[in-house]
Amino acid sequence: MLIHGPSGSGKSTLLRVLARLEALSAGNILLDGREATDIAAPEYRRRVAYLQQMPVMTDGNIRDNLLLSFRYHDASPPDDDMLRRHLEELALYDVVLDAPATELSVGQQQRLALLRLLLMQPSVLLLDEPVASLDAASAEQLMHAVARECEARGLTVIIVSHQEIGVPGQHLRRLHLRNGRIEEEG
């Protein structure tokens, strides 16, 4: 699903509410038929992943940043070979796992942040302006990675963006946020 709207219309706020990072003022959010508030926050955050506009990297190397979520999750983390394969899928060929993550470009950090989320295998992915900091080739790589996840696992994706964006091979429902209301586009 792609949500467009002018700056200040509430697109990012909507994603933050869906991610349970901001309180819902009215209505309810359902995940697999359950009230979001009835799902424990750690479980909800494993199932609903949020990629904010500006990526956040912790001090430490790229490996540390990719495996950050595994500190709070009982799943086995991927090994270095698997991490390198995933990095290559996002056209991060020259990125070294021991390099400081904070020294990457914003575009590289955005792809790294997406990979960090995908490694947790969420069922819903909330993307806030995911390609705004990327050149055309990097944006295409990122969206192809999202498309692979959609196809492989039936991942639900909600994207907010100012620019036209697509998930290759996927039909996107297009909505417009205007005056606090979401309307179906054409």
Side-chain angles (χ1 to χ4, degrees), residues 2 4 6 8 12 17 33 35-36 40 43 53 57 63 68 70 78-79 82 91 99-100 133 147-149 152 175:
L2 176 64
H4 284 285
S12 295
V17 168
E35 286 278 345
E43 177 188 348
Q53 284 184 12
M57 297 291 120
R63 180 186 302 102
L68 181 65
F70 288 92
D79 62 20
M82 180 64 73
S133 302
R148 279 192 299 276
E149 290 296 312
L175 306 174

Side-chain angles (χ1 to χ4, degrees), residues 7-26:
S7 293
S9 64
K11 298 180 305 296
S12 295
T13 301
L14 174 62
L15 288 188
R16 291 182 55 76
V17 168
L18 293 173
R20 286 182 49 191
L21 298 173
E22 288 190 26
L24 184 65
S25 60

Side-chain angles (χ1 to χ4, degrees), residues 37-178:
T37 54
D38 292 341
I39 301 171
E43 177 188 348
Y44 191 84
R45 292 211 168 61
R46 275 192 298 274
R47 296 180 61 200
V48 179
Y50 170 61
L51 182 66
Q52 57 194 5
Q53 284 184 12
M54 290 303 297
V56 175
M57 297 291 120
T58 62
D59 288 334
N61 62 37
I62 290 167
R63 180 186 302 102
D64 294 338
N65 274 270
L66 287 173
L67 300 179
L68 181 65
S69 298
F70 288 92
R71 294 182 192 170
Y72 313 102
H73 188 47
D74 56 3
S76 298
D79 62 20
D80 283 359
D81 288 337
M82 180 64 73
L83 291 176
R84 283 187 203 95
R85 280 194 296 276
H86 286 302
L87 289 168
E88 288 176 6
E89 290 173 357
L90 289 172
L92 293 169
Y93 307 107
D94 57 347
V95 170
V96 179
L97 290 172
D98 291 322
T102 55
E103 292 181 8
L104 296 173
S105 71
V106 173
Q108 289 173 314
Q109 288 182 16
Q110 187 74 339
R111 288 178 280 165
L112 193 70
L114 174 66
L115 177 54
R116 181 172 51 203
L117 294 178
L118 293 175
L119 288 172
M120 296 310 299
Q121 300 184 347
S123 53
V124 178
L125 191 57
L126 307 172
L127 304 177
D128 194 351
E129 299 285 353
V131 299
S133 302
L134 303 179
D135 60 48
S138 298
E140 185 176 339
Q141 288 288 339
L142 185 137
M143 295 316 297
H144 276 285
V146 170
R148 279 192 299 276
E149 290 296 312
C150 285
E151 189 172 312
R153 296 188 301 108
L155 183 66
T156 297
V157 180
I158 300 174
I159 303 168
V160 299
S161 179
H162 286 92
Q163 62 195 70
E164 186 59 33
I165 192 171
V167 179
Q170 305 293 317
H171 170 72
L172 285 183
R173 185 173 177 195
R174 297 178 184 282
L175 306 174
H176 189 83
L177 185 59
R178 183 185 352 246

